[in-house]
Amino acid sequence: MNEEMLNLKPAKVFYYFNEITKIPRPSKKEERISEWLEKTGLALGLPTKRDKVGNVLISKPATPGKENVTPVIFQSHMDMVCEKNNDVNFDFEKDGIQTYVDGEWLKAKGTTLGADDGIGMAIALAILDDKELQHGPIECLFTIDEETGLSGAKALEAGFMSGKMLINLDSEDEGQFFIGCAGGKDTVATLECDYENVKDLEDNECAFYKIMVKGLQGGHSGDDINKGRGNAVKLLTRVLWNAYCDYDIRVADIQAGNLRNAIAREGHAIVTVPVVNSESLEAYVKEMDATLKSEFHTTDSGVALTIEPADAVDMVLEESLQIDLLNALLVCPHGVQAMSQDIPGFVETSTNLASVKKVDDKIIITTSQRSSVESKKQAIVDRVSTAFWMIGADVVSGDGYPGWNPNPDSEVLRVLVDAYKNLFQKEPEVLAIHAGLECGLFSEKYPGLDMVSIGPTLRGVHSPDEKLEIKTVQMCWDLLMEFFRLLK
């Protein structure tokens, strides 16, 4: 157990979060955390059930005299984004997260912290475990696989829960209440690899190099997409494209980015170059390193572009395939595509060029699109798809998930706003969010469900820089206690 975490407040919340960090819970591999949640609910003596996909619902009957208070659902997701620094030896399917306190923040050692949404689960469990709390009927819903497709929420059956209000505990800014979100869809392009033998190249006296881009912040492909951060796939492509045009490099391998919902932080390519051009290539990479440091001195001050000798390879991508790949990656859009016409400063439509990976004899390019306008979401899916259709790739888009339309007259929102003003003597911000939340799917399955999303402050989510502001967990807990006091 992390001894530092035992001293944090609220004690019961951090007790449960510490327990959660011990349990591996990658997306689509939530069996252990799902079983643990079920056992925890039963150990608390509470009605507990698990559905066929692994979603867990733990119910807590009303305290005497509160039976007629509006039933409330607290919802969080089990899975976490599994990102680590390249120099960190860590297995997300076996190892527990190593946490530490750094001033006002809780962090992890070289990996994502998993507070998205482990802290939401911990808050819900602490509510279930609170013996002094006076409350109406409570249900706590824990869903699987939010991060890679919201499949737990999609599989949720009508009637699995019965509450009239739902508080989603998956937001990342204390003092901000979210009442709407963007819809999203993933688009994946696959190219079959053709090769040429290095010995058959016109100039087969080659040098071999590994070109790397690293040190980018990355971040959440929804929340952070408007912050101007560098994308490792785009930057590496830019370097390789120019290096091909000017120095005749040939690409043997390319690996950049990782998860569909994270902005790519790192990437590398193994390339060959005619020996006569090797010094010029090294000089170009050093020059581009300085250029990138200048371009991203504010958003990504740690960016680094490096080149180092690599082991010799026998095969490189066939030249026309390499040209098509680099051209498509170069023109594929990334970032904010449109701002909202209704909400000032709110991103309406975006796309994330998440990763490009050579896997066996295929090149797989993963992207994700988001928009709060359904027609615009499809339009950007079509634009991204076309960039890869034009080079003969097999392109597949998933079913996606719907947006969540704001309800400014929400009763749960009104009570939370009143509770916040009572505690902190100021108004919270009421917003929509460009990230995807499961609330859109809940609204389809449970029409009329009154919902809002809140949470403590997180920064650097979906990256190893993820951190949780400790004091805001107490603020969030106090808010919910005041909410219970006011709810009728």
Side-chain angles (χ1 to χ4, degrees), residues 237-267:
T237 299
R238 175 179 164 188
V239 172
L240 296 177
W241 190 88
N242 282 294
Y244 169 70
C245 293
D246 294 341
Y247 309 110
D248 199 25
I249 70 156
R250 300 298 298 275
V251 176
D253 187 28
I254 184 168
Q255 306 286 335
N258 190 13
L259 302 175
R260 49 164 280 283
N261 51 6
I263 300 169
R265 299 181 301 108
E266 299 176 330

Side-chain angles (χ1 to χ4, degrees), residues 119 123 171-174 454-458 468-469 472-473 476:
I119 197 63
I123 290 170
S171 289
E172 297 157 7
D173 290 277
E174 187 283 320
I454 66 170
T457 296
L458 293 169
L468 170 66
E469 190 173 17
T472 64
V473 180
C476 188

Side-chain angles (χ1 to χ4, degrees), residues 77 81 115-117 146-147 168-174 176-184 217-229 260-263 299 334-336 339 345-352 368-371 401 404 431-437 453-463 466-467:
H77 64 83
V81 169
D116 174 18
D117 187 24
E146 188 268 353
E147 298 289 4
N168 169 276
L169 297 169
D170 192 23
S171 289
E172 297 157 7
D173 290 277
E174 187 283 320
Q176 294 183 347
F177 298 170
F178 293 94
I179 59 171
C181 73
Q217 280 201 66
H220 192 292
S221 63
D223 272 358
D224 298 321
I225 201 70
N226 63 336
K227 295 178 180 176
R229 296 176 182 173
R260 49 164 280 283
N261 51 6
I263 300 169
T299 59
H334 169 80
V336 175
M339 300 299 291
F346 179 60
V347 177
E348 174 207 88
T349 304
S350 74
T351 183
N352 179 43
S368 63
Q369 293 74 51
R370 302 177 190 266
S371 184
Y401 53 89
W404 166 30
L431 304 164
I433 189 171
H434 190 58
L437 291 170
S453 180
I454 66 170
T457 296
L458 293 169
R459 292 291 178 263
V461 294
H462 297 191
S463 83
E466 181 184 0
K467 58 184 180 180

Side-chain angles (χ1 to χ4, degrees), residues 38-39 70 117 158 217 228 250 264 267 294 306 329-330 338 379 477 481:
E38 184 178 28
K39 290 178 181 178
T70 305
D117 187 24
Q217 280 201 66
R250 300 298 298 275
S294 175
T306 63
L329 291 173
L330 195 66
W477 179 260
M481 297 303 101

Side-chain angles (χ1 to χ4, degrees), residues 353-422:
L353 179 50
S355 68
V356 55
K357 293 179 179 291
K358 182 177 175 294
V359 182
D360 297 326
D361 290 329
K362 298 180 186 296
I363 295 172
I364 301 171
I365 302 108
T366 302
T367 74
S368 63
Q369 293 74 51
R370 302 177 190 266
S371 184
S372 50
V373 178
E374 189 66 23
S375 59
K376 295 284 192 72
K377 181 176 77 176
Q378 189 57 49
I380 189 58
V381 168
D382 292 343
R383 184 178 169 198
V384 170
S385 298
T386 299
F388 298 106
W389 279 331
M390 291 177 67
I391 62 170
D394 177 41
V395 182
V396 177
S397 293
D399 294 333
Y401 53 89
W404 166 30
N405 293 323
N407 174 20
D409 298 321
S410 158
E411 178 64 13
V412 66
L413 173 65
R414 184 195 65 78
V415 178
L416 278 169
V417 168
D418 287 347
Y420 194 88
K421 290 191 293 187
N422 288 352

